[in-house]
Amino acid sequence: MTVEPSKVPVSISLYQDAVYELETAIETAAKAGYHSITTPIVHRKFQREFIDEPLKTLHSRFTRSDLLLTSSQWLNRVICQLSTDTDCDSELDEVRKRGEATIRQELSFAEHLVQNGVVLLPLRNGNCANLARLVTYGLKGTLLVGIPMVNPKSVQSTWRNDVDDDLPLEDTWTWWNNFRSYADFNSHVKVALEFTADIPSSKEISRWLGEPVDAIILSSNIFLTNAKNFPVLSKSHQELLVLFHRTLGCHFILKANPDDKHLSNYSDYMLHILRTNYVKDPMQGYDDLLEIPLQPLYDNLDSFTYEIFEKDPVKYILYQNAIEEALRDRVPTEELEERTSIIMVVGGGRGPLVRAALNASVKSKRKVKVYVIEKNPNAIVTLSALINELWKDRNVELISTDMREFEPPEKADILVSELLGSFGDNELSPECLDGAQKHLKPDGVSIPCKSTSYLNPCMTTNLYNQIRSLEKSPQSKDRVVTSKYMEGAYVAYLKNVYHIDDPLPVFEFVHPNRDPVIDNSRFKTLRFKAALDCVMHGFVGYFDSVLYKDIIISIHPFTHTKGMGSWFSMFFPLTEPIQVKRGQEIVVNFWRCVAAHKVWYEWNVTAPRQTHIHNVQGRGQPIWK
């Protein structure tokens, strides 16, 4: 779905290394198409003396007054940058202490100017433990940590003789990982990723998409000049620009000389590229939003939830096609007039599967009788109205009871349900269909007839921090209470995520289940391999389901049913992130546990390091029968 270009939100800030008149600089930037300016909070050549007694003549004045702008202007029109020429992690005490004093002074003034605003801190290397400790303690606003996409030394090594080509260059992602790890994954700390002339591998780019990248920094140096002498980006840089904006909604900071005659051309060009290539995500608004999985067997769903599901036409068309094909297979053409197929819709909701069954009857020209079994008394009201008003001439019978307790007067040819959930079996479809399959004829079919779950490890700082913020809420007083957040599963439309490896199959369920003893507990050990250094925050779960023959619905990323939006993926978090090195094996154990009144998942990692078993006995999140 395309969006009118002028309505695509894009924010660009103009970086100014030194600003003489703030208001003039803001006005000049605005005329050139920029929404704000980014500038050092203190002039880079200013020499400070930190002594016990401030000089009375200067009163410790080290930068311009906050009265030059209103509070709103400071907050919305200025991004303050901290000094880049300090070394808070120097082995020399004098250098380190001076760096500490400088950063404390600047950060204090920045928070005075823009409390809960944005501050930029360019990072020069991965030796930053003391710096991270200083700038993140008590942080209230957003700290943008400036990281180059490619190590600048890789460029220097092509023309400088003093750079040793044999020494491996440190990945700049490691700089960021060190900083945020020292800061204990502080949710206020985000990335300002600086595009470089060199572009890393697609895997490395994907890894950045799993990080909290809030801003993209571009230098005028990476722009090319076209035949008309206007600045343009290479095709690869254009694609990167669009990718980060579309996926993460980043804003932009452009570095250029204030005397550059193309200032307005840079902003116009970036707006053009971003707006003409923007495609609105139909799921926009659900991005990385945590939701607790539904338990429709235990809870009665509300009208709003039913309505959301009913807005997915793709799923019900596929169900209709599956029912139609099953009807054609079961009733030969010569028996059209005398044979009626019995369809049982178990879990009728507000009728979409009933509608699919009736439509399939018309298209296949096969007679049907539809039993609708629904336990939700509120949905019964809707179904009764539909039968009386829309389906009064159709052979539809409504039964208000639990599908497992229903005693039908006749056996079914086709049993239809949609109790799949994002992991395939997390809405207890195995237990429900095992209980309902007694209604089937010996040769009857179940739609769906098979479901498979899948799992892969992932890095998603965003989701991890959201869950951890629940642990730190006022009602979380102790570890017993807080464990339920980190040991539960969540439904989420993941965009800010890096998939460490491809998904592997976990559990499979076949319906009807003809095993002499039905056991829906499961155990599986999965092995993955990391292509890059990364941080593992948990696992993403998916499913696919065979409705009938070759008609399949899937949320597996490689086979996702086009246009289907009924299910988002599942996220199974780890209580503590795990640092993973390139080439390391990741081994996870996954259990599906079953008791008399509940079902639950347990999981743990045994490599690259061992973790405790999560959600033991369903303490974090049981699924009630």
Side-chain angles (χ1 to χ4, degrees), residues 421 475 552:
Q475 61 267 31
I552 298 171

Side-chain angles (χ1 to χ4, degrees), residues 292-296 298-299 426-428 483-485 487-489 570 593-595 597-603 614-625:
I292 303 297
L294 296 173
Q295 296 199 28
Y298 185 74
D299 299 322
N426 61 289
E427 291 185 4
L428 305 191
S483 68
K484 73 178 183 180
Y485 297 110
E487 299 194 358
M570 290 278 279
C593 306
V594 180
H597 300 294
K598 67 179 180 179
V599 174
W600 69 97
Y601 302 108
E602 296 180 10
W603 61 95
H614 294 62
N615 198 32
V616 174
Q617 292 297 308
R619 67 186 178 189
Q621 188 184 84
I623 308 169
W624 300 107
K625 290 185 179 180

Side-chain angles (χ1 to χ4, degrees), residues 123-125 146-160 163 169-172 175 194-198:
L123 202 61
R124 297 185 302 173
N125 54 57
I147 308 285
M149 184 172 268
V150 174
N151 195 320
K153 288 186 178 179
S154 66
V155 179
Q156 295 173 5
S157 64
T158 63
W159 58 274
R160 279 177 51 181
V163 177
L169 292 173
E170 188 175 38
D171 183 355
T172 55
W175 302 0
E194 182 165 4
F195 284 4
T196 48
D198 293 339

Side-chain angles (χ1 to χ4, degrees), residues 387-541:
I387 292 172
N388 293 332
E389 296 171 19
L390 296 180
W391 303 330
K392 58 185 176 182
D393 297 328
R394 308 301 294 273
N395 197 353
V396 180
E397 185 173 334
L398 178 60
I399 311 294
S400 178
T401 188
D402 188 303
M403 69 182 74
R404 296 166 296 179
E405 300 170 1
F406 174 47
E407 294 297 338
E410 53 189 330
K411 297 288 187 178
D413 294 279
I414 304 172
L415 189 71
V416 185
S417 68
E418 57 172 328
L419 294 167
L420 291 167
S422 296
F423 202 48
D425 58 81
N426 61 289
E427 291 185 4
L428 305 191
S429 60
E431 285 71 23
C432 293
L433 295 180
D434 290 345
Q437 70 184 22
K438 62 187 177 183
H439 311 325
L440 270 176
K441 294 176 181 177
D443 64 341
V445 299
S446 173
I447 297 176
C449 61
K450 184 174 79 170
S451 297
T452 307
S453 55
Y454 300 85
L455 207 68
N456 72 286
C458 73
M459 177 176 74
T460 171
T461 306
N462 189 339
L463 257 59
Y464 173 77
N465 277 334
Q466 285 187 57
I467 300 170
R468 197 166 70 158
S469 69
L470 298 174
E471 287 200 346
K472 294 179 179 179
S473 61
Q475 61 267 31
S476 302
K477 302 296 183 183
D478 54 52
R479 187 68 186 88
V480 175
V481 175
T482 60
S483 68
K484 73 178 183 180
Y485 297 110
M486 277 298 183
E487 299 194 358
Y490 299 86
V491 174
Y493 177 49
L494 279 86
K495 290 188 73 175
N496 194 182
V497 61
Y498 168 60
H499 297 286
I500 299 171
D501 201 356
D502 295 340
L504 294 175
V506 191
F507 306 137
E508 180 179 284
F509 294 92
V510 176
H511 306 291
N513 187 344
R514 304 302 186 187
D515 292 343
V517 178
I518 293 177
D519 180 7
N520 288 322
S521 64
R522 298 283 192 276
F523 171 71
K524 191 72 173 281
T525 297
L526 301 173
R527 299 177 182 276
F528 303 93
K529 190 173 183 179
L532 295 172
D533 291 359
C534 58
V535 176
M536 181 167 60
H537 293 108
F539 298 87
V540 189

Side-chain angles (χ1 to χ4, degrees), residues 558-579:
F558 298 162
T559 59
H560 198 294
T561 303
K562 187 175 181 179
M564 188 176 71
S566 284
W567 295 280
F568 297 152
S569 52
M570 290 278 279
F571 177 60
F572 299 91
L574 295 170
T575 54
E576 295 293 335
I578 296 177
Q579 301 283 346

Side-chain angles (χ1 to χ4, degrees), residues 273-343:
I273 292 297
L274 294 169
R275 287 175 170 169
T276 55
N277 289 280
Y278 185 81
V279 179
K280 185 177 180 180
D281 189 335
M283 297 301 157
Q284 187 174 354
Y286 293 98
D287 305 5
D288 302 298
L289 180 66
L290 289 174
E291 299 178 57
I292 303 297
L294 296 173
Q295 296 199 28
L297 188 62
Y298 185 74
D299 299 322
N300 289 324
L301 302 183
D302 56 41
S303 180
F304 178 76
T305 303
Y306 282 128
E307 188 174 303
I308 290 175
F309 292 152
E310 292 161 12
K311 288 179 179 178
D312 187 346
V314 175
K315 173 177 65 175
Y316 295 113
I317 288 172
L318 290 172
Y319 263 95
Q320 178 179 312
N321 294 343
I323 298 169
E324 180 184 344
E325 191 163 337
L327 286 171
R328 292 183 188 277
D329 287 346
R330 295 187 70 79
V331 182
T333 305
E334 59 270 18
E335 298 180 21
L336 289 180
E337 294 302 321
E338 64 267 19
R339 186 166 170 185
T340 299
S341 297
I342 306 302
I343 299 177

